[in-house]
C-alpha cells in the first residue's frame, strides 16, 4: 500500500519540540489515542471531537509516554497537528474568521471556542480502520516517540481497548459488567460511559466541567455494584463531587416525580433539614428539582434503581 508507506513516513517525521534532542510525545500520543478510538469502533465518522472520550484515552497513554518536563496539554497536539498536512481542523462559527490565521492556541478553552472538530485525510482515516495498517502506524509512533516505554505502551493500549470495548457493549446493552476480565476494566468502563451519556454534567446541579487533567464529575451507581452487579447505563448517574457525596450519605436521592412519575424523576431530600439554617439551604434548594437525565432517554434510571435510593433515604 503506497498510502501506508506515505503515512508511516509522515508519522516518523512529525514536527515536535525536541528538548535535549528527544521529541515531545504529544502529537504521537494524540494520534495513538485516535487510532485506539478507531480500533474500539468509536470513530465511525471522520470527525474527531475534543471531548472527554478523547481526553480520557489521551491521558491514559500520555501518563505512560511522558518524561520529566512533559505536561498533559492535549489541546496543543489537537491544534498543532494541523501543520502535518493530514490533520485538518474545522472552525466553530466563532472561529470561522480567526482560525485560518492562527498559528498558536492559548489553551483548551480557546481551542473549544474556535475549533469544532478535526478530520483526517480520507486515506488515513481508512487506514486506521484496517487492522494491519493501524498496527503498523501505531508501531511507527511508538518506536519514534516512546520507544523507552514501548512494552508498557502496548500493554496500556491493549488495556484501553478493553475498557472502550466494554463501554461500547454496555451502551449497546450487549453485556453485563461482570463479563469483563478485570475489576479495573469494569469500573473504568462504567465511569467513562456514565460521564459520556450525561455529557459530563451533574444530574443534580447541572454543573458541567471537564478539563485536560482535572475531573469534577463522577459516575455513581444507583444500586451499588457490590449488591446489584449491574453496570448498565440505567443503573448509573453522573454527579459532581458534592452531590455524589450527599447521595452516598443518603442526604439526597433521585426518585419519582409527582404522581409517582418515574419518567420525570425529581430530587428528594432527607427529612430533618431546616430551611432556616444557612448550611442546610443549598441542599434544600435541590428539593423537587428535576433530575437532569441523559441526552438519550433509553439510558434514564430505571424505577427499580430510583426506588432503591428512595428506600435508603427514608430509612436514614
Ligand atoms: Zn452537582
Amino acid at each position: 500500500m503506497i498510502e501506508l508507506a506515505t503515512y508511516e513516513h509522515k508519522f516518523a517525521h512529525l514536527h515536535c519540540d525536541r528538548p535535549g534532542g528527544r521529541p515531545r510525545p504529544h502529537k504521537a500520543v494524540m494520534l495513538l489515542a485516535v487510532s485506539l478510538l478507531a480500533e474500539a469502533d468509536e470513530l465511525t465518522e471522520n470527525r474527531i471531537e475534543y471531548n472527554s472520550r478523547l481526553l480520557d484515552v489521551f491521558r491514559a497513554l500520555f501518563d505512560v509516554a511522558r518524561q520529566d518536563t512533559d505536561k498533559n496539554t492535549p489541546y496543543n497536539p489537537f491544534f498543532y497537528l494541523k501543520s502535518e498536512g493530514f490533520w485538518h481542523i474545522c472552525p466553530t462559527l466563532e472561529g470561522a474568521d480567526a482560525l485560518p490565521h492562527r498559528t498558536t492556541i492559548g489553551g483548551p478553552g480557546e481551542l473549544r471556542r474556535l475549533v469544532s472538530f478535526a478530520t483526517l485525510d480520507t486515506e488515513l482515516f481508512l487506514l486506521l480502520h484496517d487492522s494491519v495498517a493501524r498496527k503498523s502506524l501505531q508501531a511507527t509512533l511508538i518506536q519514534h516517540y516512546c520507544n523507552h516505554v514501548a512494552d508498557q505502551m502496548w500493554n496500556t493500549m491493549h488495556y484501553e481497548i478493553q475498557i472502550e470495548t466494554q463501554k461500547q457493549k454496555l451502551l449497546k446493552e450487549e453485556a453485563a459488567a461482570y463479563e469483563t476480565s478485570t475489576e479495573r476494566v469494569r469500573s473504568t468502563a462504567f465511569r467513562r460511559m456514565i460521564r459520556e451519556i450525561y455529557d459530563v454534567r451533574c444530574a443534580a446541579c447541572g454543573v458541567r466541567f471537564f478539563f485536560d487533567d482535572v475531573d469534577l464529575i463522577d459516575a455513581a451507581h444507583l444500586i451499588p455494584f457490590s449488591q446489584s452487579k449491574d453496570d448498565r447505563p440505567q443503573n448509573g448517574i453522573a454527579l459532581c463531587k458534592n452531590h455524589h457525596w450527599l447521595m452516598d450519605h443518603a442526604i439526597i436521592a433521585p426518585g419519582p416525580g409527582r404522581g409517582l412519575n418515574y419518567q420525570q424523576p425529581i430530587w428528594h431530600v432527607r427529612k430533618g433539614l431546616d430551611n432556616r439554617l444557612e448550611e442546610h439551604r443549598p441542599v434544600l434548594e435541590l428539593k423537587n428539582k428535576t433530575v437532569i437525565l441523559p441526552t438519550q432517554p433509553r439510558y434514564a434510571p430505571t424505577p427499580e434503581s430510583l426506588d432503591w435510593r428512595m428506600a435508603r433515604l427514608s430509612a436514614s
Side-chain angles (χ1 to χ4, degrees):
M1 276 189 282
I2 297 169
E3 294 100 345
L4 178 58
T6 308
Y7 288 107
E8 280 172 341
H9 182 81
K10 288 185 181 185
F11 278 20
H13 298 87
L14 297 170
H15 305 85
C16 307
D17 281 350
R18 292 179 176 267
R22 71 153 178 112
R24 294 251 192 228
H26 297 72
K27 282 184 174 177
V29 170
M30 181 57 75
L31 292 170
L32 285 170
V34 169
S35 76
L36 206 142
L37 292 182
E39 189 167 349
D41 206 19
E42 294 189 297
L43 197 70
T44 46
E45 272 181 81
N46 189 355
R47 181 186 170 99
I48 303 155
E49 293 185 25
Y50 194 79
N51 55 19
S52 66
R53 176 190 289 182
L54 177 68
L55 297 195
D56 280 345
V57 176
F58 180 92
R59 188 191 306 176
L61 303 182
F62 188 75
D63 280 345
V64 176
R66 72 189 310 169
Q67 295 187 61
D68 44 5
T69 56
D70 294 334
K71 289 204 173 68
N72 181 0
T73 52
Y75 65 91
N76 274 330
F78 198 95
F79 179 79
Y80 291 110
L81 269 168
K82 74 187 178 98
S83 67
E84 306 298 339
F86 54 74
W87 176 283
H88 315 281
I89 51 178
C90 302
T92 57
L93 218 50
E94 187 184 342
D97 292 332
L99 200 61
H101 312 291
R102 291 301 293 264
T103 52
T104 59
I105 195 83
E110 191 177 49
L111 180 83
R112 296 189 59 220
R113 265 197 309 110
L114 301 181
V115 179
S116 180
F117 57 90
T119 62
L120 300 169
D121 283 355
T122 308
E123 297 81 4
L124 177 57
F125 177 76
L126 295 174
L127 287 171
L128 289 181
H129 285 82
D130 175 285
S131 61
V132 176
R134 182 174 58 234
K135 194 71 142 192
S136 169
L137 289 166
Q138 290 171 338
T140 303
L141 292 167
I142 292 176
Q143 185 199 333
H144 285 86
Y145 304 92
C146 29
N147 206 29
H148 63 297
V149 285
D151 288 348
Q152 205 185 334
M153 185 56 94
W154 283 117
N155 287 340
T156 305
M157 304 243 305
H158 177 67
Y159 171 69
E160 284 293 308
I161 284 286
Q162 287 182 52
I163 294 171
E164 293 299 312
T165 307
Q166 171 72 3
K167 191 184 83 185
Q168 289 289 95
K169 278 189 183 172
L170 288 169
L171 283 170
K172 290 179 191 156
E173 301 174 60
E174 285 171 1
Y178 44 81
E179 288 173 15
T180 183
S181 52
T182 69
E183 173 58 23
R184 256 178 86 204
V185 168
R186 183 198 70 72
S187 62
T188 310
F190 176 79
R191 179 178 164 281
R192 288 189 188 173
M193 169 188 71
I194 294 298
R195 281 159 46 91
E196 208 168 293
I197 64 177
Y198 281 82
D199 197 19
V200 218
R201 188 185 298 282
C202 173
C205 64
V207 67
R208 179 170 189 265
F209 185 83
F210 73 89
F211 198 70
D212 293 350
D213 55 358
V214 181
D215 283 335
L216 182 69
I217 305 300
D218 289 343
H221 285 89
L222 289 165
I223 310 177
F225 183 78
S226 58
Q227 184 175 328
S228 62
K229 299 281 182 278
D230 183 359
D231 269 348
R232 287 174 304 161
Q234 297 84 351
N235 188 37
I237 194 165
L239 293 171
C240 70
K241 303 278 179 201
N242 284 347
H243 287 116
H244 188 181
W245 183 261
L246 289 166
M247 187 179 82
D248 273 356
H249 290 80
I251 302 286
I252 62 171
R258 280 175 205 81
L260 282 184
N261 184 349
Y262 285 92
Q263 309 300 318
Q264 284 190 318
I266 57 173
W267 286 97
H268 298 257
V269 174
R270 190 199 283 192
K271 288 198 179 65
L273 274 75
D274 190 332
N275 204 25
R276 288 163 295 188
L277 296 176
E278 183 195 354
E279 65 269 29
H280 287 180
R281 252 175 256 146
V283 176
L284 281 165
E285 276 169 14
L286 193 63
K287 194 174 172 179
N288 296 332
K289 284 221 169 119
T290 312
V291 174
I292 300 169
L293 295 173
T295 38
Q296 295 191 49
R298 69 191 174 111
Y299 295 140
T302 57
E304 185 196 8
S305 55
L306 295 175
D307 283 346
W308 193 93
R309 283 288 157 188
M310 287 303 288
R312 215 166 145 257
L313 192 69
S314 21
S316 56

